[in-house]
Amino acid sequence: MAAALQVLRHLARAPLSPLLWGGPLARLASSMALAEQARQLFESTVGAVLPGPMLQRALSLDPDSGQLKVRDRSFQLQQNLYLVGFGKAVLGMATAAEELLGQHLVQGVISVPKGIRAAMESAGKQEMLLKPHSRVLVFEGAANNLPDRDALRAALAIRQLAEGLTADDLLLVLISGGGSALLPAPIPPVTLEEKQTLTKLLAARGATIQELNTIRKALSQLKGGGLAQAAYPAQVVSLILSDVVGDPVEVIASGPTVASIHSVQDCLHILNRYGLRAALPRSVKTVLARADSDPHGPHTCGHVLNVIIGSNALALAVAQKQAEALGYRAVVLSTAIQGDVKSVAQFYALLARVAAARLTMPGAGSSVEEDEQLFELAAELQLPDLQLKEALEAVVGTRGPVCLLAGGEPTVQLQGSGKGGRNQELALRVAAELGRWPLGPIDVLFLSGGTDGQDGPTEAAGAWVRPELTSQAAAQGLDVAAFLAHNDSHTFFCRFQGGAHLLHTGLTGTNVMDAHLLFLQPR
């Protein structure tokens, strides 16, 4: 069995051959080698946005003059550089920054996920680890991506460093996904527990990341431009690895170096929408009332340079090239997948059906009704960059395997108390939808994974599925619908075929939202 698996892995890394897919190995290759290729492409997606190389592309230092260049701006360094950071990719970013900046770096404080140093060391990722005598102090916290006392201590240490800077200093701020949970500093009298409870309630009711961050900023000392204000009058350069659809700098990690554009009325509108305004604790009402009557008005961040150095779009572009090298016709559908995970799953499953019909029966194609339904679903999701028409035209124009790539961050409305994450739930829902229709002589595989390597409070990054999953699960005595009803996707995948469909990468040290890969291969 081990030898057979090695052969299949070799086949997975080689360009696809029509003879292979049409020959006696077709079914075996489609079930194992296709899964191996899916994992390989997901790894390519993550590898494209590893923090060290991205930061090195964004920064350059002239050792003779001490000039630090950030894009088209230059800053004079004279041992006047300080560093703070928060997020899932910040450990690697800080390591690369310290190596580049050398003696000019005076001091640093970063807040990173709990256990990430041990995970990087265990994985042999030495390039992600600071040297033993580093000038950067590391705090680990936010277990399971939730703000906690450890993250609060880190936030207060970051604030203290920023408040001690002068006009002669330069503050380098490193920001990546997960930064909101790693920089919790509620405005008194709001407690960390009160803010955390409110955030959980909003998330459980389906609030978007933008809505969550609007509330977080209003209740935070450092978000919504608070960190930039604490650092004034020092110059601030913020290097940002985006984990938000569209890369809006005011939303990523709740915009600690971007002046907030939201008002108290925006917050109240969100709280009303999810039926939470009446249940607010007195402390939250006090802070919102105080902000509403602030005579100074909103502050500005004219002393800040914000630079996006990595994103979901960059990651998918690299994965697209890798898929093409493997013999696929590859198309990036969207980097802005949002909306309820149920609707997103229906969209992907119907897309697979329509694309499969065009791929296997170019003359006949899918039914007019299915085409209309697909475009209606797409319109309901309101994806601003969706390349649906272009993707379907590309499918018609090829006779070989197709890979459709997308990224974003769907939301899950919790109805049960099961264990899972949006990627595993999306994959399981796609499988349930795919199992409803015969797809004809074509192999289909769908993979959804979080680029940070952690999907919800689990050790999996996501999962991959095929149309036959529902019937195979039933043969094992597993009811897919029951697991979905309890938001228990992780438990399902752990039990199904011994967990073989789970995507395990470990913490990756980066984060640019999720990657969705849809493979279609004619038999």
Side-chain angles (χ1 to χ4, degrees):
M1 180 64 187
L5 186 57
Q6 289 300 319
V7 170
L8 288 169
R9 284 180 173 163
H10 171 74
L11 292 172
R13 291 180 173 89
L16 296 178
S17 162
L19 291 176
L20 167 65
W21 287 108
L25 288 177
R27 297 302 295 162
L28 185 59
S30 66
S31 62
M32 296 181 69
L34 187 55
E36 183 70 17
Q37 286 183 332
R39 293 174 185 272
Q40 183 183 350
L41 283 177
F42 180 75
E43 290 171 3
S44 297
T45 308
V46 173
V49 285
L50 290 176
M54 280 189 305
L55 187 132
Q56 289 164 358
R57 288 194 296 268
L59 294 180
S60 63
L61 176 65
D62 184 336
D64 297 325
S65 66
Q67 287 278 323
L68 177 68
K69 190 169 184 180
V70 187
R71 297 286 167 90
D72 59 346
R73 292 275 299 276
S74 293
F75 301 87
Q76 184 63 50
L77 300 187
Q78 295 174 329
Q79 294 188 328
N80 59 342
L81 179 67
Y82 295 80
L83 180 152
V84 297
F86 30 90
K88 295 177 179 179
V90 160
L91 182 61
M93 292 170 75
T95 301
E98 185 168 30
E99 184 176 342
L100 173 70
L101 301 168
Q103 297 299 314
H104 292 290
L105 179 60
V106 180
Q107 181 187 359
V109 178
I110 61 174
S111 178
V112 296
K114 195 170 190 66
I116 192 167
R117 283 180 293 183
M120 295 298 105
E121 190 169 357
S122 175
K125 297 181 179 179
Q126 296 301 316
E127 71 278 6
M128 297 278 194
L129 297 170
L130 292 160
K131 299 296 187 290
H133 302 293
S134 170
R135 290 183 169 89
V136 179
L137 179 62
V138 181
F139 287 84
E140 291 192 7
N144 294 325
N145 204 30
L146 295 172
D148 55 20
R149 289 287 161 186
D150 291 329
L152 176 60
R153 281 190 286 271
L156 297 179
I158 287 171
R159 187 190 70 182
Q160 184 178 22
L161 185 151
E163 288 177 340
L165 300 180
T166 71
D168 296 324
D169 296 322
L170 174 66
L171 179 64
L172 183 64
V173 182
L174 308 177
I175 302 176
S176 74
S180 285
L182 287 159
L183 196 72
I187 300 172
V190 177
T191 67
L192 181 63
E193 290 74 19
E194 287 172 332
K195 187 176 175 184
Q196 190 172 347
T197 297
L198 180 57
T199 302
K200 282 182 178 178
L201 286 171
L202 283 165
R205 298 191 184 194
T208 66
I209 185 67
Q210 290 85 352
E211 290 171 328
L212 289 171
N213 284 350
T214 298
I215 300 297
R216 285 169 176 154
K217 285 188 287 187
L219 303 177
S220 174
Q221 298 179 51
L222 296 176
K223 294 164 185 171
L227 175 59
Q229 288 301 301
Y232 186 83
Q235 287 289 307
V236 178
V237 174
S238 184
L239 302 181
I240 305 167
L241 179 59
S242 173
D243 72 327
V244 179
V245 166
D247 308 329
V249 291
E250 72 277 5
V251 174
I252 302 163
S254 302
T257 56
V258 185
S260 178
I261 60 173
H262 297 290
S263 67
V264 171
Q265 290 305 313
D266 294 326
C267 295
L268 296 177
H269 179 68
I270 293 168
L271 294 167
N272 280 332
R273 180 181 302 166
Y274 296 104
L276 293 172
R277 185 171 177 180
L280 291 178
R282 183 180 298 274
S283 60
V284 173
K285 294 178 180 177
T286 298
V287 169
L288 292 177
R290 191 188 302 157
D292 202 24
S293 60
D294 185 355
H296 301 293
H299 53 252
T300 61
C301 294
H303 59 301
V304 178
L305 172 63
N306 289 301
V307 180
I308 297 284
I309 64 171
S311 65
N312 190 269
L314 173 65
L316 290 181
V318 171
Q320 180 185 20
K321 290 181 180 179
Q322 181 68 15
E324 289 169 348
L326 288 169
Y328 287 93
R329 179 69 181 269
V331 180
V332 176
L333 275 170
S334 169
T335 61
I337 299 293
Q338 295 184 95
D340 183 74
V341 70
K342 294 179 183 178
S343 298
V344 175
Q346 290 170 358
F347 169 74
Y348 278 131
L350 188 55
L351 172 62
R353 179 167 171 78
V354 170
R358 296 191 180 197
L359 191 58
T360 56
M361 296 179 292
S366 53
S367 70
V368 173
E369 182 182 350
E370 286 173 341
D371 282 14
E372 289 179 350
Q373 187 180 356
L374 177 62
F375 279 90
E376 285 173 6
L377 264 175
E380 290 172 9
L381 289 171
Q382 297 182 334
L383 308 177
D385 65 342
L386 183 63
Q387 303 295 305
L388 179 56
K389 183 178 178 182
E390 294 80 357
L392 292 176
E393 287 174 353
V395 168
V396 173
T398 185
R399 295 182 180 180
V402 172
C403 178
L404 303 179
L405 306 96
E409 197 166 276
T411 53
V412 176
Q413 294 193 30
L414 296 177
Q415 297 174 321
S417 56
K419 187 175 183 180
R422 61 178 177 266
N423 287 285
Q424 292 164 82
E425 176 145 340
L426 175 60
L428 190 54
R429 288 191 179 278
V430 168
E433 292 288 335
L434 288 174
R436 293 172 53 197
W437 304 301
L439 290 169
I442 191 163
D443 289 313
V444 176
L445 184 146
F446 177 79
L447 179 149
S448 181
T451 55
D452 60 356
Q454 184 178 36
D455 185 35
T458 77
E459 293 182 355
W464 62 272
V465 297
R466 295 174 64 97
E468 56 267 27
L469 179 144
T470 304
S471 58
Q472 291 174 344
Q476 266 189 251
L478 301 174
D479 183 349
V480 170
F483 282 97
L484 286 173
H486 294 91
N487 301 113
D488 205 14
S489 56
H490 184 67
T491 303
F492 170 84
F493 281 115
C494 285
R495 295 181 184 176
F496 178 60
Q497 296 184 352
H501 286 242
L502 283 169
L503 186 63
H504 285 289
T505 62
L507 294 176
T508 62
T510 191
N511 183 19
V512 291
M513 299 185 292
D514 305 331
H516 306 152
L517 308 177
L518 177 61
F519 299 84
L520 300 107
Q521 171 59 56
R523 291 174 193 158

